[in-house]
Amino acid sequence: MIKMEYDCMLERFAQNWANKCVFAHSSHYERPNQGQNLYMSSFTNPDPRSLIHTAVEKWWQELEEFGTPIDNVLTPELWDLKGKAIGHYTQMAWDRTYRLGCGIANCPKMSYVVCHYGPAGNRKNNKIYEIGDPCEIDDDCPIGTDCEKTTSLCVISK
């Protein structure tokens, strides 16, 4: 799995969308090859750290609530069966996604978190992530990445 890195460009995309205070996904044209997770709270002006923490917790709870199939493939049936309720978790866990940027806005009737992920995940009929052992050497990682010994995750080669 490739280690997630924070990306200020994705943050700008996410913040620009959050500032619109529209609780809906932006079009794919407005976020090229970027996945998007949204969270809103009816509380206005909450502590930003608390808000982002709650958003991430809610997104991960989809895994707890719905689980994933044994083969870990995001099938159209799984997507439709759960009413797209697993799309936040799967985007965060997607092993070919390795960049993240988030924005927060205090809107008139809500507080809003928008996170963008790159490259976008949630490709139907693909594995959410490959199940396997953590990397130990560079050869355990995809081409263009190296094994980071402290985390046993693959990182983009510098």
Side-chain angles (χ1 to χ4, degrees):
M1 185 170 278
I2 300 174
K3 183 179 180 179
M4 188 72 73
E5 294 180 7
Y6 199 79
D7 185 306
C8 293
M9 181 189 73
L10 292 179
E11 177 185 300
R12 279 191 297 280
F13 276 99
Q15 188 63 58
N16 287 342
W17 187 252
N19 289 343
K20 293 182 182 194
C21 293
V22 175
F23 188 64
H25 288 284
S26 60
S27 74
H28 294 286
Y29 301 108
E30 294 172 285
R31 53 183 165 90
N33 198 24
Q34 297 170 33
Q36 185 181 61
N37 280 349
L38 309 176
Y39 174 80
M40 63 82 67
S41 169
S42 58
F43 297 108
T44 54
N45 296 313
D47 172 58
R49 292 182 116 162
S50 211
L51 183 65
I52 192 85
H53 179 82
T54 300
V56 172
E57 265 189 355
K58 291 289 185 189
W59 296 331
W60 277 114
Q61 280 176 1
E62 295 169 359
L63 173 61
E64 232 178 271
E65 189 173 343
F66 301 112
T68 55
I70 300 269
D71 63 2
N72 209 25
V73 172
L74 182 61
T75 62
E77 295 78 22
L78 177 65
W79 185 263
D80 294 336
L81 177 69
K82 304 304 182 192
K84 298 185 182 180
I86 63 160
H88 303 100
Y89 147 70
T90 54
Q91 177 57 83
M92 291 192 306
W94 204 258
D95 70 357
R96 288 153 316 278
T97 296
Y98 57 90
R99 294 178 2 257
L100 162 71
C102 297
I104 297 174
N106 289 308
C107 303
K109 295 182 180 180
M110 68 175 170
S111 296
Y112 194 19
V113 176
V114 178
C115 290
H116 281 204
Y117 302 83
N122 287 339
R123 306 282 184 227
K124 291 185 182 139
N125 297 315
N126 283 269
K127 287 190 178 201
I128 300 164
Y129 56 86
E130 288 292 332
I131 299 169
D133 296 323
C135 70
E136 293 179 5
I137 59 173
D138 292 345
D139 287 347
D140 294 337
C141 293
I143 295 172
T145 64
D146 300 313
C147 183
E148 183 180 75
K149 305 295 187 273
T150 56
T151 62
S152 297
L153 293 170
C154 302
V155 294
I156 303 300
S157 302
K158 302 284 182 204

